[in-house]
Amino acid sequence: MHADFNELACFAAIARLRSFRKAADERNVTASSLSHTMRSLEERLGVRLLNRTTRSVVLTDAGSQLLSRIEPMLAGISEALDQAHSFGSSLKGTLRLNVPRPAGRVLLAPIMDGFLRDHPETVIELITDDGIIDIVQTGFDAGVRFGESVALDMVAVPIGPAQRLVLVASPAYVSKTGPIRHPEDLKQRACIGRRFPSGLHYAWEFEKDGEKIAVRVVGPLVLDDDDMMVKAAAGGIGYAYVHESTAKSLLDSGQLVRSLDDWCPFIPSFHLYYPSRRHVSTVLRAFIDWCNAYYAGSGATR
């Protein structure tokens, strides 16, 4: 009684994605072909591995036990094949990344041209999304988030420098309303609010000498994009609290000025993360190494 590698890999894909259609897309086969493969495997084993309806796929006890035994072995075999392939050909493949917009703009955009130039047979598919998603369920190889936002069952690799938020407004607005000396003063100023994809409105967080304050600001405008926030602030609408790198050009030109700079904390660096139970593809490993080299200085001039 035997099962070949392809059958076990198909079973693992269905079990992981909980969908014949998604597993068929990943394996580049038809759903009917995949269904036939699973029927053949279950008939030879003499046991049902999956309970499937038109709306769901659920592992049986036998299926759960089989998956727990074969998943590490399948990952090891795939990794070994990837490594062997890399000896005989140039790096190739598609890397699908899900990242928040600030990370895409300030962290990954500066390095992608160099990576793709040195690895012309690779493709990066980068989707910017500020919401928290399940990268496995949605078919991404990896994602980028702040470290505290990464699920515990993921491998997280810090990339890039620590980030910082800055409080900015136009010189005209500050002159009209007067300077502020404490975060609580923002309650008497117009502020450009931030709304997360979850619907939550961000309470601006400040820190100085161990004192932490969260201010629930109000104002005539609420946005979800840093670029729009800095432009609105430069236009005189009110204060914005944004990533420093996003506001840099307008600060340098004098269209924006800083306030409460000693209250604006550094925040943890972004982390690139991927499933801990899945082997790291050669493309993803190369991309992680490239990010680390670039931000360590060795790749900055490439």
Side-chain angles (χ1 to χ4, degrees):
M1 187 183 302
H2 299 285
D4 63 27
F5 177 84
N6 179 63
E7 288 177 324
L8 295 177
C10 288
F11 163 68
I14 297 167
R16 173 167 47 82
L17 297 171
R18 295 293 195 268
S19 166
F20 272 76
R21 180 183 58 79
K22 291 179 181 178
D25 288 343
E26 182 179 278
R27 302 288 300 171
N28 198 28
V29 298
T30 64
S32 60
S33 171
L34 197 61
S35 181
H36 176 74
T37 298
M38 287 309 306
R39 280 198 302 271
S40 297
L41 177 61
E42 288 177 327
E43 287 172 4
R44 284 205 312 283
L45 294 177
V47 65
R48 181 177 289 277
L49 302 174
L50 301 164
N51 287 321
R52 43 199 182 272
T53 69
T54 56
R55 303 182 66 178
S56 65
V57 176
V58 180
L59 286 168
T60 64
D61 289 344
S64 295
Q65 185 178 52
L66 177 62
L67 181 67
S68 68
R69 296 293 299 274
I70 69 171
E71 204 168 29
M73 291 183 285
L74 289 173
I77 292 171
S78 294
E79 186 169 10
L81 291 173
D82 277 349
Q83 290 174 346
H85 176 71
S86 69
F87 281 103
S89 65
S90 60
L91 189 69
K92 63 177 65 177
T94 298
L95 180 61
R96 299 192 70 231
L97 300 173
N98 179 275
V99 307
R101 279 174 289 184
R105 219 171 15 235
V106 307
L107 191 70
L108 299 186
I111 68 174
M112 287 190 295
D113 59 339
F115 179 82
L116 293 172
R117 185 173 59 247
D118 277 14
H119 305 292
E121 294 187 78
T122 63
V123 174
I124 295 178
E125 186 176 331
L126 190 149
I127 306 300
T128 55
D129 181 359
D130 292 341
I132 303 297
I133 68 163
D134 184 334
I135 60 170
V136 175
Q137 187 67 29
T138 48
F140 289 95
D141 299 297
V144 174
R145 286 290 178 266
F146 287 117
E148 67 270 16
S149 302
V150 177
L152 294 178
D153 61 346
M154 296 284 172
V155 176
V157 181
I159 56 172
Q163 303 293 311
R164 192 187 187 209
L165 297 176
V166 291
L167 182 66
V168 297
S170 71
Y173 183 80
V174 175
S175 177
K176 181 178 71 173
T177 59
I180 57 176
R181 295 177 174 82
H182 191 276
E184 292 289 346
D185 294 343
L186 288 166
K187 294 179 178 180
Q188 280 73 53
R189 302 292 190 276
C191 296
I192 301 161
R194 180 187 297 274
R195 182 185 187 276
F196 293 127
S198 64
L200 178 70
H201 285 242
Y202 173 55
W204 293 3
E205 298 170 293
F206 300 92
E207 183 177 352
K208 180 181 177 182
D209 299 332
E211 181 183 2
K212 296 182 179 181
I213 296 176
V215 181
R216 296 202 171 274
V217 299
V218 295
L221 185 62
V222 178
L223 298 170
D224 68 348
D225 180 79
D226 278 41
D227 279 337
M228 294 181 68
M229 290 175 191
V230 297
K231 290 174 182 175
I237 290 178
Y239 283 92
Y241 199 37
V242 296
H243 286 85
E244 185 173 30
S245 55
T246 309
K248 186 178 185 305
S249 62
L250 293 178
L251 286 167
D252 290 345
S253 68
Q255 296 177 70
L256 289 175
V257 294
R258 301 170 185 259
S259 293
L260 301 181
D261 213 39
D262 54 345
W263 279 94
C264 297
F266 282 90
I267 52 182
S269 63
F270 285 109
H271 284 63
L272 187 144
Y273 69 98
Y274 54 90
S276 60
R277 292 186 298 169
R278 187 182 299 179
H279 78 279
V280 182
S281 70
T282 52
V283 177
L284 177 55
R285 172 52 58 196
F287 188 74
I288 292 171
D289 291 344
W290 183 277
C291 289
N292 288 334
Y294 181 93
Y295 286 107
S298 62
T301 57
R302 296 189 184 197

